[in-house]
Amino acid sequence: SAVARGPEGPFRSEAYRVSAVARGKELRLTLSGLEPAAPPPQDLVFRFGMSGSFRLCPAAELPRHAHLRFLTRESPRRALCFVDARRFGSWRLGDSWQQERGPCVVSEYQAFRENVLQNLDDKAFDKPICEALLNQKYFNGIGNYLRAEILYRLKIPPFEKARTVLEALKDQEQERRKKDPSLTLSKKVKLMQKNLDLLELCHTVPMEVITADKQLFDPEHSDNYAAFKNWLQCYLVPGMSSMRDHKGRTIWFQGEPGPMAPRGQMPRKAPCKKRTQPKADPEALTPEVTSHASKRCPRAAATPLKSEEKEEGEEETGGPRKGRARGRRRATPAPALPEPEVLLHTERRRRTSARRGRGEA
């Protein structure tokens, strides 16, 4: 499409095959020509950046924000589209993976495990475990919701030092080999299933989503998205706590945050139930009494939170900023009787005249 951020490819062929290989957070498409004089295969490597997906649909009903389209020759035609509303995703020509990404947690598990345990001296593991899990050099494929689910299942505080957590795994693995180095592969698998550690969950938790029957991540299909929300045990779940890590990303957890938690920040809990405000009685004649809190924050007194989603949105953006909120939204005053209104205006005039020195206070 005209607004796509990816480059145009030199590949030209009337008939070709599209194949794909995934590695961590990257996807490589290969276009292979089917004609006798077809050009060499063309590779496109995609980076999604929190959004973007591929969708197969009728060519006459293209979805919005379909930035790349592969058309079939059948009748009626269909289109394989790369759909990305926020345009965070991008692609580049060539077959090389990004250099700073380690082995994939899903398709290269053994290499991924060795890459972590053999490099524990790296300064990347001086950070809290929740921040180390987002380092794609060692945890290629782990994102924000996955790190919350992994740490929650093992009851590991998110701000525990990463090296402290992972060195224990290294010691356990060495002891296991010393006890019985002749274990068969099937017995090793059984032991892993009984005593799952953090690196194993980095493989099994993403696999739960990959092997699901439905496309859990499609927000346009409410049933599928509801199934994904039901699968979540910690991330965005009511009753769980949340904090921002040192890079500003929100981590969800249960219990204590850990010794390396950012200073000056307290964990926030997601509400278990939607907050409601009692409706005002239209026939009541008594003027509404304004509390201390509502004087300081008229927005809070005037507009209650509509749902848990609104609270979560404020948490993600760091809460309402002072000044801006007052400029955008004004609290609607409660209807008052004529006599209190006259007294209010009189009091204001007296205060103004006293400040200017023109009258008596």
Side-chain angles (χ1 to χ4, degrees):
S1 69
V3 296
R5 293 185 176 183
E8 291 189 7
F11 184 80
R12 296 286 184 274
S13 182
E14 288 296 321
Y16 55 91
R17 177 182 291 110
V18 182
S19 57
V21 178
R23 185 175 185 265
K25 288 192 173 185
E26 292 183 295
L27 178 73
R28 183 172 66 208
L29 295 189
T30 300
L31 312 183
S32 305
L34 301 179
E35 299 173 331
Q42 176 67 61
D43 293 301
L44 308 174
V45 178
F46 282 78
R47 295 177 62 190
F48 294 93
M50 287 183 66
S51 66
S53 63
F54 279 91
R55 194 173 304 168
L56 186 63
C57 59
E61 302 173 8
L62 288 176
R64 294 183 63 190
H65 311 291
H67 298 308
L68 191 63
R69 306 143 194 173
F70 302 98
L71 299 175
T72 65
R73 276 185 159 181
E74 61 190 341
S75 182
R77 277 187 155 193
R78 290 188 296 169
L80 176 65
C81 304
F82 174 58
V83 182
D84 186 7
R86 293 195 270 181
R87 287 196 292 164
F88 287 167
S90 62
W91 65 86
R92 66 182 186 274
L93 302 178
D95 61 349
S96 60
W97 305 110
Q98 197 175 12
Q99 292 183 356
E100 288 300 313
R101 291 183 181 270
C104 176
V105 297
V106 172
S107 60
E108 303 167 302
Y109 169 69
Q110 199 57 42
F112 148 71
R113 187 180 183 90
E114 292 174 2
N115 184 44
V116 173
L117 295 180
Q118 291 176 4
N119 292 283
L120 290 181
D121 293 334
D122 194 317
K123 62 181 181 181
F125 299 104
D126 292 334
K127 297 181 178 181
I129 185 63
C130 67
E131 296 178 19
L133 284 172
L134 295 184
N135 189 333
Q136 301 300 297
K137 182 179 179 180
Y138 295 106
F139 296 90
N140 187 10
I142 300 299
N144 201 20
Y145 86 92
L146 285 172
R147 68 170 177 171
E149 296 299 314
I150 291 166
L151 295 175
Y152 169 76
R153 295 191 188 190
L154 294 173
K155 308 302 179 190
I156 296 175
F159 292 97
E160 185 66 60
K161 192 173 184 178
R163 188 177 290 107
T164 303
V165 175
L166 295 168
E167 277 182 343
L169 302 185
K170 190 174 183 178
D171 296 339
Q172 290 174 10
E173 191 163 297
Q174 290 175 351
E175 289 179 6
R176 191 185 302 172
R177 289 176 180 175
K178 288 179 182 178
K179 286 182 180 179
D180 194 352
S182 61
L183 282 176
T184 62
L185 180 61
S186 60
K187 289 183 179 179
K188 287 181 180 178
V189 171
K190 287 181 181 178
L191 282 173
M192 286 170 53
Q193 291 174 346
K194 288 182 180 179
N195 305 302
L196 290 174
D197 61 36
L198 185 139
L199 297 181
E200 287 158 1
L201 284 179
C202 287
H203 172 75
T204 57
V205 174
M207 285 300 296
E208 290 179 13
V209 183
I210 292 171
T211 57
D213 294 335
K214 294 183 178 181
Q215 296 176 356
L216 299 180
F217 288 96
D218 193 349
E220 294 187 4
H221 297 82
S222 58
D223 293 341
N224 294 351
Y225 194 63
F228 171 64
K229 290 181 71 175
N230 290 334
W231 175 83
L232 293 171
Q233 299 180 29
C234 178
Y235 184 75
L236 297 176
V237 173
M240 295 295 165
S241 300
S242 66
M243 288 183 71
R244 291 186 181 275
D245 62 22
H246 295 90
K247 291 190 175 182
R249 300 287 302 273
T250 301
I251 174 68
W252 292 80
F253 60 95
Q254 186 180 47
E256 294 298 322
M260 298 183 72
R263 293 182 179 179
Q265 197 180 155
M266 294 296 293
R268 299 182 59 180
K269 278 203 171 185
C272 294
K273 294 182 180 180
K274 295 182 180 180
R275 297 181 181 180
T276 57
Q277 184 174 352
K279 295 182 179 180
D281 185 0
E283 298 181 0
L285 298 178
T286 308
E288 186 175 332
V289 178
T290 306
S291 65
H292 240 346
S294 61
K295 285 181 181 178
R296 289 196 304 269
C297 186
R299 173 183 164 186
T303 55
L305 292 172
K306 292 184 179 179
S307 65
E308 296 170 11
E309 295 179 359
K310 182 171 181 180
E311 288 191 348
E312 175 59 27
E314 288 186 354
E315 194 278 334
E316 288 292 339
T317 55
R321 297 181 183 175
K322 293 181 180 179
R324 290 181 62 189
R326 289 197 296 270
R328 285 197 306 267
R329 298 184 181 180
R330 296 181 180 177
T332 305
L337 294 177
E339 291 183 4
E341 187 175 356
V342 172
L343 291 173
L344 181 63
H345 287 304
T346 305
E347 184 66 20
R348 284 179 181 170
R349 288 196 208 100
R350 286 178 179 174
R351 290 176 185 171
T352 305
S353 59
R355 282 198 298 267
R356 294 178 182 176
R358 296 177 184 175
E360 297 179 358

